[in-house]
Amino acid sequence: MPFSAQPPASGERYALSASLDNARHLSSLLRAVHFQDHATCLATASGLRVTVEDAKCIQANAFIQAEIFQEFSVQEESVMFRISLSVLLDCLTIFGTSSLPGTSTALRMCYHGYGYPLMLFLEEGGVVTVCKINTQEPDELLDFDFCSTKVVNKIILQSEGLREAFAELDMTSEVLQITMSPDKPYFRLSTFGNAGSAHLDYPRDSDLMEAFHCSQTQTNRYKISLLKPSTKALALSCKVSIRTDAQGFLSLQYMIRNEDGQICFVEYYCCPDENITEAEL
Amino acid sequence: LSRIGDELYLEPTESGLSLRAVNSSRSGFASFLFAPLFFQLYEPGSAGPETELFRCKVHMKSFLGIFRSLPSLEKSVGKCLILLKPRASRLVLQLHCKYGVTKTHNLAFQECERLQAVFDTQSCTSHLCAPARLLAEAVVHFPPTLAEVTLRTGPGGKISLRNYVEDEAGESCRVRGGPPPHLGVPPSPPPIPFPPPEPSKMMVTELWLAEDEFQSVAVAPGSHITFCLKEFRGLLSFAEASNLPLTIHFDEPGRPVIFTLDDTVLEVHLVLATLSDLQSSSHSPSTNGVSHLPVPSDDFADDLESYMVAMETSEGGSERPPSPTFPLRTPRPAQSELEEKEEEEEEGAVPGTPPHKKFRSLFFGSVMTPGRPGPATTQEVLAEDSEGES
């Protein structure tokens, strides 16, 4: 139900103002990138992008297009601020996280501009909560410079096939090794843990494989602790695209369908692990 | 098997793949023998005249981790390939799943000696066979934390299961004043007397089963044994799941109890030590072809002295055990551990004091001192302890 209560009038226009009937459309996506406390929000006319980074090696982005919102207006070209993602999520889910059919939390979000807090108005069942979250100077974000022309190998898989694999990854292994090749083993995920090594092979003709474009054999290792949070995005998604470029940078793009059938995206970028020792295969 | 021990022993033989485990106190041993027919393909490798078939042990947790989620495995895994690669030092388990996905696990293993318990179901005086469901339903009445249970043959052919509690007051007092337990160990000072727990304060659960509920009953009347329930439960859930009847072979208290499951492609044995009965008067040592050495006083360290027949190179030498060079724990710590674990009220017990609860060694009797006869209990020594005693 559209939120009708008016925020305190200030007479001025807000740099960012948005309304969302179902706050879960936002909160579930943000949870998929919540592996650090802070996030950088960028609002443009096309929508909202929330970025989380760690160790200068990994970056996750959650995209919520303007079309998902019932109302979305950005005054300047873009509005950017840093905010505590943990607090934001706590506020968005202030009425609880269980999703009973029929009930939803309505959200109105207002941001005055630089230096002002982010205001959230949440309503469920007639109860209104007002939250003010302080914003900070946005950090400089990593630019992985990952464009489609630089992609060497690309695979699109149905998430169903990877979910269990990621959930059961041997966390005693420091790295996750990803091999993509036009020849066998085509697509392989490997871990090297205390018990020994484990390899998960997906053949190119598998039913799970929606697209397979590998031109070169590449084997790259990534710190498993950095990639493990992507499991949350994987769990929500229906499809995932896995791409690597010439330097071994990894791009994981997750297509997520929300409760209303709308499509959103989450992506993870990761640098390959530099300190690699001889692989134990 | 994971209910028994932390390591899984894999031994391919001509007659099938044997998976075994032993518990840390060596008082429980289990083996699952899968006949070649169980597998789509079974190649044990070749054993030359000098070499034996390769065997190894792996950490139970690592192995189980591969089969973590049983329901999803049943849905997604088509077949499983197990390869033992001695030269690469790897045990390879490959699961072929749906959608063409292959999961390959390369587990590190350790070479090991042959793990074999000495037991003979034929020599047991009593045998019971029951559908697993019957025993499972019986055992459900006991609390999950219960350590030991006593199986007893009663009047009218009825069989009872009763949770094991501390011995009667009189019993424990009697033992406390017992003679010094070990050779070479100075006699311990008299134990600090304290009142044993009153039997009337402990909850006792006893369950009687009629003879006709069993598939077959061939028991010596008035016999009873007490064994560890936890380890038995593990086997019971397997038996229930596979719908196989369970056979119990037992003898006198102190002699190991053997549980077996038999199928066309699977043979399962679980051997557990049983509590020795203090009140048992001297019996003649049973004759199953092992050496009869005189047994010293009954409160000797026949307790958790368990000597595995780790048959190093002498296969099948159960009659004449080799000289003990197998790794063992000294009985002393075993005793104290048993004490601390199962008799919390005995904090004041002095190590070395014979505990009044004694688990007979599973495979071997107590450490022997030839020439020290005493009231003979039914314990044969099949090997001597090489550490700590002489």
Side-chain angles (χ1 to χ4, degrees), chain A residues 158 160-161 164-165 167-170 188 194-203 205-208 280-281, chain B residues 59 61-63 65-66 68-69 72-73 76 90 94 97-109:
Chain A
Q158 283 177 24
E160 183 199 337
E164 196 198 300
E168 288 183 359
L169 278 181
D170 180 6
R188 169 180 278 189
N194 293 341
S197 60
H199 304 285
L200 197 52
D201 294 346
Y202 292 82
D205 55 358
S206 166
D207 285 343
L208 292 170
E280 220 201 61
L281 281 166
Chain B
H59 282 292
K61 283 211 180 96
S62 315
F63 197 84
I66 299 173
R68 213 170 313 191
S69 162
S72 80
L73 278 177
S76 57
R90 287 289 177 269
Q94 201 171 61
C97 315
K98 61 181 181 180
Y99 303 125
V101 178
T102 312
K103 279 191 220 184
T104 310
H105 294 265
N106 302 298
L107 295 181
F109 63 67

